[in-house]
Amino acid sequence: MASKGAGMSFSRKSYRLTSDAEKSRVTGIVQEKLLSDYLYRVFSSPDRGPPAAISSILSLPRKPLNFHNLPEHVDQLLQVDSEDGESQGQVEGRLGPSTVVLDHTGGFEGLLLVDDDLLGVIGHSNFGTIRSTTCVYKGKWVYEVLISSQGLMQIGWCTINCRFNQEEGVGDTHNSYAYDGNRVRKWNVTTTNYGKAWAAGDIVSCLIDLDDGTLSFCLNGVSLGTAFENLSRGLGMAYFPAISLSFKESVAFNFGSRPLRYPVAGFRPLQDPPFADLVRAQKLLGCFQAVLSVELDPVEGRLVETDCSEWQLRGQPTVLLTLAHIFQHFAPLLRKVYLVEAVLMGFLLGIVEKGTPEQAQSVVHQILDLLWLFMEDYEVQDCLKQLMMSLLRLYRFSPIVPDLGLQIHYLRLTMSILRHEKSRKFLLSNVLFDMLRSVVFFYIKSPLRVEEAGLKELIPTTWWPHRSSREDRDGREAQEEETAEERQRRRAYERGCQRLKKRIEVVEELQVQILKLLLDNKDDNGGEASRYIFLTKFRKFLQENASGRGNTPVLCPPEYMVCFLHRLVSALRFYWDEYRASNPRASFSEEAYIPPQIFYNGKVDYFDLQRLGGLLSHLRKTLKDDLASKANIVIDPLELQAATMDDLDEDDEPAPAAAQRPIQALAIGGALPLPRPGWLSSPTLGRANRFLSTAAVSLMTPRRLLSTMEKVKVRSLNVEQRTREDIEGSHWNEGLLLGRPPEEPEQPLTENSLLEVLDGTVMMYNLSVHQQLGKMVGVSDDVSEYAMALRDTEDKLRRCPKRRKDILAELTKSQKVFSEKLDHLSRRLAWVHATVYSQEKMLDIYWLLRVCLRTIEHGDRTGSLFAFMPEFYLSVAINSYSALKNYFGPVHSMEELPGYEETLTRLAAILAKHFADPRIVGTDIRDSLMQALASYVCYPHSLRAVERIPEEQRIAMVRNLLAPYEQRPWAQTNWILVRLWRGCGFGYRYTRLPHLLKTKPEDANLPSLQKPCPSTLLQQHMADLLRQGSDVAPSFLNSVLNQLNWAFSEFIGMIQEIQQAAERLERNFVDSRQLKVCATCFDLSVSLLRVLEMTITLVPEIFLDWSRPTSEMLLRRLAQLLNQVLNRVTAERNLFDRVVTLRLPGLESVDHYPILVAVTGILVRLLVHGPASETEQATSVLLADPCFQLRSICYLLGQPEPLAPGTASPAPDRKRFSLQSYTDYISAEELAQVEQMLAHLTAASAQAAAASLPTNEEDLCPICYAHPISAVFQPCGHKSCKACINQHLMNNKDCFFCKATIVSVEDWDKAANTSATSSAT
């Protein structure tokens, strides 16, 4: 085969011939005898066994061998005896094609997704079944199944007559047999216990012996014993490999197309291996190894044995010609997956295992040089594809051993291959992201079987926290309670965790080194640098995982994303700081952020991800003038037109035919040869991207520097069309930084390509990393639950009488079970902490948080262009802070992070400014900002951060909180105001409601369960704003009163329905959603009352200073609502009472205390505090309301209503509610104020009753019938009381009666009006 010289590491100058004296030393041309000895040494006869010593070879009589007769010798060497060759036709005992795959044409039931290679399958229906294309009727046979997910599956054998459906699968019918490792059972119509549980990554070997009629299974090479005997055999009985699997479960079969991982002696794989090719490949590999282990010494005329790890290719013609003869036969064989995995993989792994990393890399690099030199490009490419696929499978599914040796060897080999420049670029361009998903190499899987992973030996002593709960004991108290024995166990456990962490760090460092190779941008000799290939593939990878439109989404598992993100951050920061070292004007990675122009210049593709201001097409049209004035960018009019057309037909446009076919097939049901959402072996297809793939913007070929005022017309480029210049820029092109706003500094941050990697890293965190971080906390929660159960069991053991041996035995058994489970979980928790929640991982997340904060701050300075920023930057800022606060403790505390206080303050400033930012239009992101701010003010350290932001920003935040509640999500706003007040209100110093203290909260870390931490500073801002703005207080309080009226009315209506359902004789259930909504309405009512209490405490003049035009109206509305609430809640044996007594799940928060103390706090402030004149005004308004009942006020202190003279008091039949029962929550001073209020109202009520005169019904307001007519509307002349018309005019300007527009309202007095009429008459 002709050599092409591609990728050679030696110089062609070594081929020149020199003088005869130097010829042998320089060129490597050797004498005939030495050449013959060398060729015989390399191409030794196979019947001689292993290569003999050189001296013995030289002494054997033989025909001289040279390059003329070498081909004949090689052909003879590679001959394979006919009886040793593989069978090409039918084999006795087997029927079907020689290449065994899954029968996707007719041998299936249900809906399944099948890989392109027809060996992998994923369930897409309830219980789908599929069998292979080949069956067996005689002999001993085996196939392997790689378990990708550990859910419900039944794997085994069936006959062609077995009929399956969505409920019955393999093993549920006669003549079908299955093993189920999920339920640890075997199935053949009936089921019994068998084997042991499998886990993802396990390999199940299915063995059938049709000579003895038995069937058995192995798990990871360990026999589980005979499962079935006396199989039906004879005429018409043949067995197919088959599987039934439930929805989203996936496996991969190996019938023999690849070497079996665990071959069983005496059993034959269903698909015969390419035996003749295997023999030839092994012989040729032996010849190749001989070349590496023997050197020619032309000067001495002898052969010299060397170590393969020290071999160097020096360009000797003899060696090159010898290798050419080897690869002439070896090259076609290296394209076959079986031979690559069986021959080449083992050889390369041997090199890695035997030599040092440097030696292994050198030898592998030279071997790859030889492959590219002596093989055609397509042959090398096929070989590399199969090699990387095999490496991927081996790495992902190899068992976890204590030293992680297997994973380390596979990663070292991967790194050695990727160090070869030409191979790396080919793999990046065609394999790593297109076929394999290279992120698998950056994942460290968690061992599900602690024993097999060797964690018992690594962490012999286990430990878990001994504490009751987080809410009532802090870390210091827990530390004080720790005994000497517990302290010793904890320290031993921590030492074991450190040993585990150090071993894991070795793997992580190798993964980072691999990523550094992929991010290399200095290997641009003769082509594009690796980093720019990586960027293109990485962006498509993100796009594929960001959206599921079109074909079935192929999503990267979140646990893979977590590991990939951390390795990517490490490699990114390495190159960032390396660039800073050579460019002092650049920034350090600690100061990294994404410049805002990247979001609007179209250089980076954000697919269909939402922007803060809405769709990209909409923003380009509405903000095109701002782009031109601030960034000197003019969008190509053709793109604007295309965007408009895309917006018009986006909803109506049919999906591409390629995307429709899978959906049509899914509707019918069947086995679909689609790209699978699993991560085993098959290629995966990215979805087609339409308009929003504006991945790059190119200049309209300017050839000179642009002036600051010159506009740049831009158009979009496809992501594959970008060049290095499009990304990094040039002297006339800023690349990714095109369109720099004046607020941004001119000096570069770093290389533009690294900015795009950073942007993708932030997007990756948003896609699934945060979700996975929260999921892994479940292991820690399990430890806490089992620790509590163990502690309770030990307490019962201590209290149990010794005479009750039966109880003692059960408790001892439970104690043992809990202890064993805790041992397992504590070791698994150590693994999780080392791989997910270590200090280094916490610093990575913290770095991303600070990157997002700086990015948001810089984007905010651009004004309207801030709307172009993708929403996920705000989401990542919020979620990463939440992860740092909630997921990494208690092992690591966020307070220990550098710059912690400053970061909290910057995040507080962002939340305070942007939760009501009009530039942000997305409902979801606005809700997230509001919820984050609500959570922020619940914790003392973060609330203090809010107080540290500039005063102007604090006042703006409070002003936005006081905006009218209509037309916006007001509930979260109200919660924020309540949390600023909590701890200052009447009886409002509790963490949990009194009646819930005996129940365990679902999560003690919830913001609502934190200790009160009011902010007097923000309260003062609120008071100042309500005093200063003439319209702020009326509009705000009007909306609060409206919402209170709505929330409490809804609550009363719902509890009526609940009570009616509970009283029915027939059994019925109340919808849990209805109960949840009911409880939410109650909580909202309480929080709105607390906001009113805060307002009237801070700014009482809003209600009591009647010189203000709206004060009287607001006070009357407030009194009306307070009386309604009191009457509904305090009536004897009323609806509220009965529902509270039911204690329904979901209505735990509904009780008398929270709502009555809130009402009491308002009344006390109105009637007890303040000057006498204001108290009298409030009293008169309260008593004037027709709904006022003194009985409701008496109810607060558990007193019955004062009786009329001569009336006997009723006998008490139950315990009454009384604020005096809550002395732990209500102070003596507050109780005294309530008693003072009751005495005042009792006296005032009696006085008002004596002084009241009967009123003519015609003089009462026709709206409320509670107050006399006191206002007349102009111009229509209709009348009502002032309270009704003032309240109505807050929301509507039309007359109650005639719907005419009210121009003015005038006072109306009947007597004065009557006398005026008489005078006129």
Side-chain angles (χ1 to χ4, degrees):
M1 180 176 299
S3 63
K4 302 175 293 302
M8 285 302 297
S9 60
F10 55 87
S11 173
R12 292 287 185 180
K13 294 180 181 179
S14 61
Y15 285 99
R16 67 178 178 85
L17 298 181
T18 60
S19 63
D20 294 339
E22 297 177 346
K23 183 181 297 183
S24 62
R25 183 177 301 277
V26 177
T27 66
I29 296 176
V30 297
Q31 300 173 357
E32 182 177 349
K33 182 177 182 305
L34 182 58
L35 175 62
S36 179
D37 293 341
Y38 177 74
L39 294 178
Y40 271 112
R41 171 66 178 85
V42 173
F43 299 98
S44 59
S45 178
D47 54 4
R48 292 178 181 173
I54 292 179
S55 58
S56 62
I57 291 178
L58 298 178
S59 63
L60 293 174
R62 59 186 180 273
K63 178 183 176 181
L65 195 59
N66 53 47
F67 289 118
H68 293 289
N69 58 13
L70 181 60
E72 179 182 353
H73 179 81
V74 174
D75 290 340
Q76 183 179 1
L77 176 70
L78 298 180
Q79 285 183 357
V80 179
D81 295 338
S82 58
E83 65 265 14
D84 295 334
E86 71 262 33
S87 302
Q88 299 298 328
Q90 295 297 332
V91 177
E92 186 179 6
R94 184 182 68 193
L95 294 174
S98 57
T99 301
V100 186
V101 294
L102 296 175
D103 187 358
H104 68 290
T105 59
F108 62 89
E109 172 66 36
L111 190 59
L112 302 156
L113 298 178
V114 183
D115 276 355
D116 288 344
D117 59 7
L118 301 180
L119 293 175
V121 61
I122 181 170
H124 211 69
S125 59
N126 185 41
F127 204 49
T129 300
I130 191 169
R131 64 172 185 260
S132 71
T133 56
T134 301
C135 61
V136 293
Y137 61 90
K138 181 181 179 181
K140 300 179 180 180
W141 305 90
V142 62
Y143 70 92
E144 290 182 344
V145 181
L146 176 60
I147 306 297
S148 300
S149 60
Q150 58 191 50
L152 180 59
M153 294 179 282
Q154 293 175 195
I155 303 172
W157 305 80
C158 72
T159 64
I160 198 170
N161 295 321
C162 294
R163 294 293 177 263
F164 306 111
N165 54 46
Q166 294 291 304
E167 302 297 331
E168 294 183 342
V170 180
D172 296 325
T173 65
H174 291 286
N175 297 324
S176 69
Y177 306 87
Y179 161 50
D180 176 4
N182 177 262
R183 293 173 287 188
V184 196
R185 305 183 75 82
K186 61 180 180 179
W187 298 80
N188 176 232
V189 182
T190 60
T191 179
T192 54
N193 294 332
Y194 174 79
K196 62 180 183 178
W198 60 36
D202 286 344
I203 291 181
V204 176
S205 303
C206 304
L207 300 91
I208 189 169
D209 184 348
L210 291 171
D211 296 335
D212 293 338
T214 60
L215 197 150
S216 58
F217 299 90
C218 298
L219 187 63
N220 296 327
V222 179
S223 175
L224 301 178
T226 301
F228 303 100
E229 298 177 336
N230 302 319
L231 302 183
S232 298
R233 292 170 287 171
L235 189 63
M237 297 301 298
Y239 292 89
F240 292 82
I243 184 174
S244 297
L245 64 174
S246 56
F247 184 65
K248 288 190 177 180
E249 304 301 333
S250 59
V251 298
F253 285 83
N254 182 13
F255 299 111
S257 60
R258 299 189 305 273
L260 296 180
R261 184 75 64 86
Y262 301 104
V264 181
F267 285 81
R268 186 173 183 174
L270 265 74
Q271 179 174 325
D272 289 325
F275 183 76
D277 285 343
L278 180 60
V279 172
R280 296 187 186 98
Q282 290 171 339
K283 291 179 179 178
L284 290 168
L285 178 64
C287 298
F288 183 65
Q289 288 176 296
V291 173
L292 301 184
S293 59
V294 176
E295 283 191 359
L296 286 165
D297 187 352
V299 178
E300 300 292 336
R302 62 189 181 92
L303 304 180
V304 180
E305 288 280 358
T306 61
D307 190 347
C308 290
S309 61
E310 300 176 358
W311 184 79
Q312 293 289 331
L313 181 61
R314 298 183 176 88
Q316 297 170 312
T318 302
V319 177
L320 292 174
L321 289 172
T322 304
L323 289 170
H325 281 82
I326 293 175
F327 278 99
Q328 183 177 3
H329 300 275
F330 206 8
L333 299 178
L334 290 180
R335 298 181 61 197
K336 300 183 179 181
V337 58
Y338 192 100
L339 301 180
V340 169
E341 193 163 325
V343 179
L344 184 60
M345 176 67 71
F347 169 59
L348 295 177
L349 283 174
I351 293 175
V352 172
E353 293 171 4
K354 293 177 183 177
T356 64
E358 293 76 14
Q359 291 174 334
Q361 290 170 12
S362 174
V363 175
V364 172
H365 190 280
Q366 294 181 82
I367 291 173
L368 291 172
D369 276 340
L370 295 175
L371 293 183
W372 285 103
L373 177 64
F374 292 109
M375 296 171 63
E376 296 291 343
D377 284 352
Y378 70 91
E379 293 174 333
V380 184
Q381 292 167 3
D382 287 345
C383 177
L384 287 175
K385 283 182 182 179
Q386 304 300 344
L387 184 62
M388 294 305 291
M389 286 182 178
S390 298
L391 268 175
L392 174 76
R393 284 190 292 267
L394 288 171
Y395 177 79
R396 184 187 179 197
F397 297 110
S398 58
I400 299 293
V401 295
D403 61 352
L404 299 174
L406 295 176
Q407 285 76 13
I408 290 174
H409 289 320
Y410 300 144
L411 288 176
R412 283 180 176 169
L413 178 54
T414 303
M415 185 167 62
S416 299
I417 294 172
L418 292 177
R419 283 191 181 277
H420 189 268
E421 181 180 326
K422 188 171 183 178
S423 301
R424 175 173 68 250
K425 291 182 180 180
F426 164 73
L427 292 171
L428 257 177
S429 300
N430 301 281
V431 179
L432 289 179
F433 283 93
D434 291 342
M435 299 187 69
L436 285 181
R437 300 296 182 262
S438 62
V439 294
V440 173
F441 286 114
F442 309 113
Y443 174 55
I444 303 179
K445 67 178 181 180
S446 176
L448 296 179
R449 299 188 183 94
V450 171
E451 299 80 7
E452 295 180 9
L455 292 185
K456 276 189 175 180
E457 294 74 17
L458 203 59
I459 310 176
T461 304
T462 59
W463 173 85
W464 48 87
H466 289 271
R467 49 198 171 101
S468 297
S469 68
R470 297 178 183 176
E471 62 175 314
D472 50 11
R473 294 188 184 182
D474 58 20
R476 183 179 303 174
E477 293 175 357
Q479 192 75 16
E480 292 174 356
E481 291 182 2
E482 190 177 47
T483 63
E485 181 183 357
E486 290 175 351
R487 188 181 305 109
Q488 186 176 1
R489 285 184 58 196
R490 176 174 57 82
R491 291 174 178 173
Y493 175 73
E494 290 173 350
R495 288 194 295 270
C497 293
Q498 285 299 318
R499 289 193 293 269
L500 174 63
K501 182 182 176 184
K502 289 180 180 179
R503 296 188 178 186
I504 289 176
E505 285 175 348
V506 175
V507 177
E508 292 177 344
E509 179 57 30
L510 288 173
Q511 294 170 334
V512 172
Q513 293 299 325
I514 290 175
L515 258 181
K516 288 180 181 178
L517 291 173
L518 301 184
L519 289 175
D520 185 8
N521 70 333
K522 296 180 176 62
D523 57 347
D524 54 353
N525 299 323
E528 193 174 13
S530 298
R531 180 182 298 175
Y532 306 103
I533 305 174
F534 175 87
L535 279 178
T536 301
K537 300 299 181 180
F538 182 47
R539 211 70 199 177
K540 294 184 68 175
F541 168 79
L542 293 173
Q543 176 185 0
E544 186 179 81
N545 286 274
S547 177
R549 293 189 304 173
N551 287 335
T552 305
V554 186
L555 301 179
C556 174
E559 59 270 23
Y560 288 52
M561 283 282 209
V562 172
C563 294
F564 185 32
L565 178 131
H566 289 297
R567 311 303 175 264
L568 193 56
V569 167
S570 299
L572 171 62
R573 297 192 66 178
F574 168 80
Y575 278 114
W576 193 299
D577 291 330
E578 182 184 64
Y579 181 81
R580 170 62 176 78
S582 58
N583 296 270
R585 295 184 62 194
S587 66
F588 289 103
S589 62
E590 277 297 330
E591 304 163 354
Y593 69 92
I594 302 297
Q597 57 265 41
I598 287 180
F599 304 134
Y600 56 73
N601 65 16
K603 290 281 189 173
V604 177
D605 186 5
Y606 289 102
F607 334 124
D608 52 358
L609 296 178
Q610 189 77 359
R611 308 297 182 104
L612 293 178
L615 292 176
L616 177 62
S617 56
H618 168 74
L619 293 174
R620 283 182 164 177
K621 287 183 290 185
T622 57
L623 298 178
K624 60 181 180 180
D625 294 337
D626 292 336
L627 283 172
S629 61
K630 296 181 179 180
N632 295 331
I633 285 181
V634 177
I635 302 297
D636 192 332
L638 294 177
E639 288 217 349
L640 289 177
Q641 182 179 359
T644 304
M645 296 303 297
D646 190 86
D647 290 342
L648 289 175
D649 60 6
E650 184 174 6
D651 296 332
D652 299 329
E653 182 180 356
Q660 288 181 348
R661 282 195 294 271
I663 305 302
Q664 295 165 357
L666 286 173
I668 299 171
L672 307 178
L674 296 178
R676 60 175 297 154
W679 285 58
L680 294 174
S681 58
S682 68
T684 55
L685 305 177
R687 65 176 177 85
N689 190 31
R690 297 192 294 121
F691 159 67
L692 289 180
S693 62
T694 52
V697 177
S698 70
L699 301 177
M700 301 300 287
T701 62
R703 296 301 179 186
R704 56 189 173 82
L705 294 176
L706 300 171
S707 64
T708 56
M709 297 304 294
E710 187 170 0
K711 306 298 186 292
V712 179
K713 183 184 291 186
V714 296
R715 59 183 176 85
S716 298
L717 288 177
N718 188 276
V719 66
E720 286 91 353
Q721 295 176 333
R722 295 190 306 172
T723 63
R724 177 170 185 164
E725 186 176 292
D726 291 319
I727 298 173
E728 300 291 1
S730 63
H731 66 281
W732 53 267
N733 176 7
E734 293 182 274
L736 290 186
L737 300 183
L738 173 70
R740 180 179 59 84
E743 297 84 3
E744 279 297 296
E746 294 185 6
Q747 62 269 23
L749 288 172
T750 184
E751 296 171 284
N752 292 352
S753 53
L754 295 181
L755 292 174
E756 185 171 342
V757 175
L758 176 57
D759 175 78
T761 306
V762 176
M763 185 191 301
M764 192 162 56
Y765 183 92
N766 182 66
L767 290 177
S768 58
V769 171
H770 180 74
Q771 173 190 0
Q772 182 65 16
L773 289 177
K775 181 180 177 181
M776 297 304 292
V777 177
V779 180
S780 180
D781 294 339
D782 290 343
V783 170
S784 300
E785 290 181 6
Y786 276 100
M788 185 176 296
L790 177 61
R791 189 164 48 251
D792 293 343
T793 303
E794 291 172 345
D795 291 341
K796 293 176 182 178
L797 271 173
R798 285 190 292 268
R799 297 195 308 267
C800 182
K802 293 184 178 180
R803 65 178 183 275
R804 297 302 306 268
K805 294 184 179 180
D806 54 339
I807 298 178
L808 285 172
E810 288 297 324
L811 290 174
T812 303
K813 184 178 178 181
S814 299
Q815 182 187 28
K816 181 180 178 183
V817 170
F818 291 145
S819 297
E820 291 176 351
K821 188 66 177 179
L822 277 169
D823 286 341
H824 171 84
L825 286 175
S826 62
R827 292 187 176 101
R828 189 174 175 214
L829 185 62
W831 186 281
V832 171
H833 279 160
T835 56
V836 181
Y837 298 123
S838 67
Q839 180 72 21
E840 293 76 15
K841 311 299 186 299
M842 188 178 189
L843 289 171
D844 287 346
I845 304 300
Y846 184 59
W847 182 71
L848 281 182
L849 167 61
R850 292 167 67 89
V851 166
C852 291
L853 296 181
R854 282 188 288 268
T855 301
I856 296 167
E857 291 168 350
H858 282 261
D860 180 43
R861 297 170 192 164
T862 61
S864 59
L865 299 184
F866 179 61
F868 281 95
M869 179 178 289
E871 286 185 352
F872 65 79
Y873 273 90
L874 281 170
S875 298
V876 171
I878 295 170
N879 291 333
S880 57
Y881 167 72
S882 174
L884 292 169
K885 181 167 65 72
N886 298 319
Y887 300 159
F888 287 84
V891 179
H892 306 292
S893 172
M894 188 180 178
E895 298 178 4
E896 301 171 358
L897 295 171
Y900 163 74
E901 296 289 342
E902 177 203 358
T903 302
L904 280 188
T905 305
R906 294 170 70 179
L907 179 57
I910 288 173
L911 296 176
K913 180 173 184 178
H914 296 298
F915 83 94
D917 193 336
R919 296 172 295 180
I920 301 176
V921 301
T923 304
D924 291 340
I925 190 62
R926 289 176 71 91
D927 287 346
S928 297
L929 287 166
M930 185 74 74
Q931 292 170 11
L933 182 60
S935 173
Y936 220 69
V937 298
C938 286
Y939 299 88
H941 55 280
S942 51
L943 178 59
R944 302 300 167 248
V946 176
E947 294 177 343
R948 288 195 300 268
I949 67 177
E951 182 178 1
E952 182 182 351
Q953 294 184 18
R954 292 198 306 268
I955 294 174
M957 178 191 75
V958 176
R959 181 181 292 109
N960 288 323
L961 291 174
L962 295 179
Y965 283 0
E966 285 77 11
Q967 305 301 323
R968 69 188 184 96
W970 57 271
Q972 286 292 345
T973 301
N974 199 74
W975 291 125
I976 295 173
L977 294 174
V978 167
R979 286 157 184 168
L980 299 179
W981 177 247
R982 188 175 180 180
C984 296
F986 182 91
Y988 201 34
R989 293 171 292 278
Y990 55 82
T991 301
R992 299 186 65 202
L993 291 171
H995 68 286
L996 295 179
L997 284 180
K998 294 182 180 179
T999 62
K1000 178 185 175 183
E1002 294 182 1
D1003 185 359
N1005 286 328
L1006 289 174
S1008 58
L1009 298 179
Q1010 303 309 305
K1011 294 181 179 179
C1013 52
S1015 173
T1016 55
L1017 178 61
L1018 297 179
Q1019 290 175 20
Q1020 187 59 47
H1021 289 327
M1022 176 180 174
D1024 294 340
L1025 288 170
L1026 290 174
R1027 286 193 186 99
Q1028 295 168 5
S1030 59
D1031 297 330
V1032 174
S1035 59
F1036 169 68
L1037 290 173
N1038 180 62
S1039 63
V1040 171
L1041 293 171
N1042 287 341
Q1043 300 300 340
L1044 175 59
N1045 183 43
W1046 170 84
F1048 191 73
S1049 300
E1050 288 291 316
F1051 168 70
I1052 293 299
M1054 288 183 182
I1055 62 175
Q1056 286 176 345
E1057 296 177 7
I1058 294 170
Q1059 176 63 22
Q1060 291 170 4
E1063 290 178 348
R1064 295 192 189 114
L1065 295 178
E1066 67 273 13
R1067 185 178 181 184
N1068 56 82
F1069 299 92
V1070 181
D1071 188 0
S1072 60
R1073 289 175 297 180
Q1074 184 181 4
L1075 294 175
K1076 185 176 181 179
V1077 172
C1078 180
T1080 302
C1081 287
F1082 178 80
D1083 294 337
L1084 286 174
S1085 301
V1086 174
S1087 67
L1088 288 164
L1089 287 168
R1090 287 297 186 182
V1091 169
L1092 289 170
E1093 178 192 16
M1094 175 172 60
T1095 304
I1096 204 168
T1097 302
L1098 296 175
V1099 199
E1101 59 268 27
I1102 293 178
F1103 292 93
L1104 301 175
D1105 182 5
W1106 284 13
S1107 62
R1108 292 172 174 254
T1110 58
S1111 294
E1112 181 181 359
M1113 181 270 296
L1114 291 174
L1115 183 59
R1116 291 187 184 278
R1117 288 195 65 192
L1118 177 63
Q1120 180 185 12
L1121 287 172
L1122 293 179
N1123 284 325
Q1124 289 179 3
V1125 172
L1126 283 173
N1127 293 341
R1128 291 285 191 176
V1129 175
T1130 61
E1132 294 287 345
R1133 299 181 182 83
N1134 67 348
L1135 181 65
F1136 185 87
D1137 243 0
R1138 292 195 293 270
V1139 171
V1140 169
T1141 306
L1142 291 176
R1143 293 298 179 196
L1144 296 174
L1147 293 182
E1148 293 87 356
S1149 63
V1150 178
D1151 193 67
H1152 292 83
Y1153 179 84
I1155 195 165
L1156 288 182
V1157 291
V1159 173
T1160 304
I1162 297 174
L1163 292 174
V1164 167
R1165 183 60 190 83
L1166 287 173
L1167 304 175
V1168 176
H1169 299 288
S1173 60
E1174 294 180 352
T1175 302
E1176 291 301 324
Q1177 288 176 345
T1179 304
S1180 63
V1181 170
L1182 187 66
L1183 296 180
D1185 186 84
C1187 297
F1188 174 77
Q1189 297 181 24
L1190 186 61
R1191 173 194 58 77
S1192 299
I1193 308 300
C1194 297
Y1195 184 92
L1196 299 176
L1197 293 175
Q1199 300 177 7
E1201 184 178 6
L1203 301 174
T1207 305
S1209 60
D1213 56 350
R1214 66 182 183 86
K1215 183 179 179 181
R1216 290 179 173 273
F1217 172 85
S1218 174
L1219 295 178
Q1220 296 171 339
S1221 303
Y1222 297 91
T1223 54
D1224 292 339
Y1225 300 89
I1226 303 175
S1227 65
E1229 181 183 357
E1230 290 174 331
L1231 285 173
Q1233 292 172 355
V1234 177
E1235 293 172 354
Q1236 181 182 348
M1237 176 187 70
L1238 177 58
H1240 171 72
L1241 285 176
T1242 302
S1245 179
Q1247 184 179 356
S1252 62
L1253 297 174
T1255 303
N1256 189 347
E1257 186 174 344
E1258 295 181 356
D1259 298 333
L1260 290 177
C1261 172
I1263 304 300
C1264 65
Y1265 288 96
H1267 308 297
I1269 295 174
S1270 57
V1272 60
F1273 317 152
Q1274 297 298 340
C1276 63
H1278 289 107
K1279 307 177 186 67
S1280 74
C1281 66
K1282 286 185 178 180
C1284 288
I1285 187 57
N1286 288 337
Q1287 179 180 344
H1288 177 69
L1289 290 177
M1290 294 290 292
N1291 304 296
N1292 200 323
K1293 301 298 182 183
D1294 296 337
C1295 175
F1296 287 114
F1297 309 101
C1298 65
K1299 303 303 179 184
T1301 301
I1302 299 175
V1303 177
S1304 63
V1305 177
E1306 300 176 359
D1307 293 342
W1308 189 85
D1309 182 77
K1310 181 178 180 181
N1313 191 65
T1314 302
S1315 61
T1317 304
S1318 300
S1319 300
T1321 302

